[in-house]
Amino acid sequence: MIFAWIGAALIGLSLGLLGSGGSILTVPVLVYLVGEDSKLAIAESLAIVGSISAFGALNAARQGRVDWRTVALFGLPGMVGTFIGSALSAKLHGVAQLTLFAVVMLLAATFMFRPALPSGPQAAGRANLIGTAARGLGVGVLTGVVGVGGGFLIIPALVLLGGLPMELAVGTSLAIITLNSVTGLLKHAQQLTGDGGSLNWHLIALFSVIGIAGSVLGARIGAGLSALSLRRGFAVFLVAMGAYVLAMNAPKLIHPTVQTQAEVPVVAAR
């Protein structure tokens, strides 16, 4: 279980270092290190991501680094999208969700490989209220379906479309992620209850505490490191993790009867 706690610390560290990306580690850690069912892991991921993001958002708000107008414009459609995505997830097989999740990880890596985003007044002219709201809706759907906060998509949208400075976009993104995560958690928990399942609140609490501690440490470490190097290093990790998740699940999606050798002893042991 020690590897699972290390994974929880990495989730928080990446959020503290980069302002995004940590949530995309949560589902793989819960599935492959803790051994949770994929659908349960997605619901628990939303609880963990929401807790860590809420902590970060509160700190950012105290420092005046949250644009509440943008939170409403992007976050409210995002909550609607998260509700829709969570309802759609009930109709998807866990293998399909993990396959989609792997694709999202690879997409996130492309964002992380890019140089730092421009910000400030030169970007403000690109602001488009309808476009921002539509992107909020889209990110929300993604959050509901695969259990990621979507910070790697929210931050570029806020900077390029909303004209927010990077430091303001990070705090605003954390507030939006919190709203989306809470909405998705409520819907997923309702579905789990209907299916006779339940969330592991002890696990959620431990991951949240470790993740929050990791985010504080990450913020301190990140102050003295190159942001571009951190982003690219994390991107390499995402490519490796995304490729692994894709390799584990895509064959099962294409050929549902296919069973990996690793699964056989697990089934037999039961």
Side-chain angles (χ1 to χ4, degrees):
M1 202 63 169
I2 184 64
F3 292 109
W5 307 144
I6 292 173
L10 289 175
I11 292 165
L13 276 171
S14 62
L15 279 169
L17 288 168
L18 305 168
S20 68
S23 62
I24 209 163
L25 301 177
T26 312
V27 172
V29 168
L30 292 175
V31 172
Y32 297 109
L33 296 183
V34 180
E36 295 286 79
D37 172 77
S38 57
K39 286 190 175 292
L40 183 59
I42 287 172
E44 291 172 343
S45 169
L46 290 169
I48 294 165
V49 169
S51 299
I52 299 173
S53 297
F55 177 84
L58 287 173
N59 276 341
R62 282 197 293 266
Q63 298 168 14
R65 294 189 292 109
V66 175
D67 186 319
W68 294 108
R69 177 178 177 274
T70 302
V71 170
L73 178 63
F74 199 105
L76 295 180
M79 293 174 73
V80 174
T82 302
F83 185 88
I84 295 171
S86 299
L88 289 174
S89 71
K91 303 182 184 302
L92 293 175
H93 191 280
V95 170
Q97 287 176 280
L98 287 176
T99 301
L100 177 60
F101 187 87
V103 173
V104 171
M105 292 187 80
L106 296 175
L107 175 64
T110 66
F111 280 99
M112 292 294 180
F113 269 121
R114 294 177 181 177
L117 294 164
S119 60
Q122 70 273 21
R126 304 183 191 183
N128 182 298
L129 299 183
I130 297 176
T132 301
R135 284 166 177 78
L137 182 69
V139 170
V141 171
L142 183 66
T143 297
V145 171
V146 297
V148 298
F152 66 95
L153 294 175
I154 295 173
I155 288 178
L158 296 183
V159 173
L160 297 177
L161 297 174
L164 296 183
M166 191 65 185
E167 62 273 13
L168 191 58
V170 170
T172 303
S173 172
L174 289 171
I176 293 168
I177 291 170
T178 302
L179 293 177
N180 288 352
S181 297
V182 169
T183 303
L185 173 62
L186 292 175
K187 183 61 177 175
H188 278 279
Q190 181 186 40
Q191 293 168 351
L192 282 170
T193 301
D195 295 335
S198 62
L199 296 170
N200 186 339
W201 289 107
H202 177 69
L203 179 68
I204 290 170
L206 281 174
F207 262 66
S208 298
V209 170
I210 294 173
I212 288 171
S215 69
V216 173
L217 178 61
R220 293 181 179 178
I221 294 174
L225 299 176
S226 164
L228 182 58
S229 298
L230 286 170
R231 287 167 61 88
R232 289 181 173 171
F234 188 70
V236 171
F237 178 77
L238 284 181
V239 169
M241 180 69 76
Y244 175 78
V245 176
L246 193 63
M248 290 291 290
N249 291 278
K252 303 176 194 175
L253 187 63
I254 298 170
H255 303 290
T257 57
V258 171
Q259 187 179 40
T260 63
Q261 292 297 318
E263 292 175 307
V264 174
V266 175
V267 174
R270 292 177 181 173

